[in-house]
Amino acid sequence: MNFVDLEIRKAKPEDCIRIRELIQELADYEQMPNGPKIDYKTLQRDGFGSKKPLYECYVAVVFGEIVGYALYFWIYYSLGRKALHLEDLYVTPFHRLKNIGSKLFSAVAKKAVEQSIGKMEFVVTDWNPAKNFYKKRGAVDYTEKETFHVYQFDRKAIEKMASSS
């Protein structure tokens, strides 16, 4: 189903309150017990408060309400061209299966093409049916194809390493 009043557009600073609400919905869906550690003011500052924003975002608007978003940022790879990391792609449950996620994803892909991006990457939990959405569009699970694994340090580990010199 397509909406006559569906608009996919770049996010604006005033959208950050709603984007933060949707980030919370996504965290709840992904069963993240501690939820997001960001507020809408931080989203405004980091996305709109400088000449070099830390992220960019598209929103899906239906009849004046933001019902989805795609948040992404740029990565530099020493072995190739720059890349784009899709941090979040989320559409509210009521508006799923209406092609809105596809339109958000296409907007990000168009931006990647404009910026001569060599690859796009993202993370999906193993239980999330969104895996099929991405695979249907040609995504490859790097952990299955290659021998690379993604690791992270939390804040406590970073502080420990920083103080151990």
Side-chain angles (χ1 to χ4, degrees):
M1 172 188 293
N2 289 321
F3 287 100
V4 174
D5 199 29
L6 171 64
E7 177 187 12
I8 304 296
R9 64 167 171 78
K10 293 284 286 197
K12 304 173 190 172
E14 57 268 24
D15 297 331
C16 290
I17 292 172
R18 179 64 178 145
I19 293 167
R20 172 55 178 87
E21 291 171 352
L22 295 175
I23 290 171
Q24 183 63 57
E25 283 186 30
L26 176 58
D28 293 344
Y29 174 75
E30 291 184 339
Q31 302 168 3
M32 299 174 79
N34 297 324
K37 306 274 190 272
I38 195 167
D39 61 25
Y40 80 91
K41 290 180 181 180
T42 302
L43 287 169
Q44 286 175 331
R45 181 195 68 217
D46 292 348
F48 304 94
S50 72
K51 290 181 183 178
K52 293 189 101 177
L54 296 178
Y55 73 90
E56 293 186 18
C57 185
Y58 285 102
V59 293
V61 182
V62 174
F63 298 113
E65 179 188 1
I66 295 174
V67 300
Y69 74 102
L71 190 146
Y72 59 93
F73 55 88
W74 313 109
I75 303 170
Y76 185 81
Y77 278 102
S78 61
L79 298 176
R81 298 183 347 207
K82 64 183 175 179
L84 181 148
H85 178 84
L86 179 62
E87 179 66 15
D88 295 338
L89 176 63
Y90 180 76
V91 175
T92 59
F94 180 78
H95 289 93
R96 291 184 191 148
L97 302 175
K98 297 177 181 176
N99 209 28
I100 295 172
S102 293
K103 290 185 183 294
L104 279 168
F105 193 71
S106 289
V108 174
K110 286 176 187 171
K111 182 70 169 189
V113 168
E114 290 171 10
Q115 297 291 318
S116 298
I117 295 300
K119 65 179 175 177
M120 289 175 57
E121 66 178 31
F122 49 91
V123 176
V124 180
T125 57
D126 63 351
W127 55 264
N128 191 333
K131 293 186 307 188
N132 298 323
F133 172 88
Y134 297 113
K135 286 182 178 181
K136 193 165 73 173
R137 286 158 179 77
V140 175
D141 184 344
Y142 227 53
T143 56
E144 290 177 2
K145 180 182 177 219
E146 301 290 338
T147 58
F148 295 108
H149 294 271
V150 176
Y151 292 88
Q152 293 181 337
F153 291 105
D154 64 11
R155 178 68 183 189
K156 188 175 180 178
I158 294 168
E159 288 172 351
K160 184 178 178 181
M161 286 184 295
S163 66
S164 66
S165 55

